Amino acid sequence: MEGFEYRNPYAAPAAQVVAPADHEAGLEPADRGRRLVAYLIDLGIYLALLLPAFIGLLRYKPERGIGALGGSLIMFSVVCVIALFVYWCVLMHREGQSIGKRAMGMRVVRTDGSRAGLRRMIVLRYFVPGLIGGIPYVGWVFSLANVLWIFGEERRCLHDLICDTMVVNV
């Protein structure tokens, strides 16, 4: 029978597989596990710098306060965290990398492959999600959805979508 095409009604659906536009531009999204390790490296550095402040706070006694040593430890931590934030800003502006992302061989770029500006990164990638996350009764849902969004096809969190950025392999 010419012109007759048999279609099995019980066959699995067929779909044409097309590579996402990001792959065509040569941008390979970073692996989820590597992004987690990079975050843990950055978090570990900040926690290590906050450890002296925690020790200083543990020295608190109601009759004498925290004392000179406790105050010095807290001030040392504050200065170190500020210095680390300045270094982070320089790295993000120049390379699009934090210390953890640099160690893991990743960087943050715009979805078109161009460099993401520092102002865009601070305001849209960190400040806006932090602000939304601080809303009572709604913020925790957004914060949870933000990190779980990485399990989508594009491997981008909500803060990446808000900022129009993506984390790619270097």
Side-chain angles (χ1 to χ4, degrees), residues 44-93:
I45 292 170
Y46 273 104
L47 289 178
L49 293 179
L50 290 174
L51 186 62
F54 182 69
I55 292 170
L57 289 173
L58 287 178
R59 295 182 43 81
Y60 174 77
K61 301 276 191 231
E63 58 273 357
R64 67 169 170 83
I66 59 172
L69 179 62
S72 298
L73 289 172
I74 293 170
M75 191 53 132
F76 175 74
S77 285
V78 168
V79 169
C80 287
V81 167
I82 290 171
L84 182 62
F85 178 72
V86 169
Y87 182 64
W88 177 87
C89 286
V90 169
L91 275 179
M92 288 304 263
H93 177 69

Side-chain angles (χ1 to χ4, degrees), residues 9 25 30 34 36 41 44 47 50 52 56 72 84 88 90 94-95 105 118 120 129 137 141 150-151 159 166-168:
R34 290 177 58 205
L36 176 63
I41 290 170
L47 289 178
L50 290 174
S72 298
L84 182 62
W88 177 87
V90 169
R94 288 185 183 168
E95 307 292 329
L118 182 63
R120 173 182 215 79
Y137 304 111
V141 174
I150 198 167
F151 293 105
H159 61 262
M166 62 187 299
V167 180
V168 297

Side-chain angles (χ1 to χ4, degrees), residues 13-21 23-24 153:
Q16 184 179 8
V17 178
V18 178
H23 293 282
E24 293 172 5
E153 276 186 36

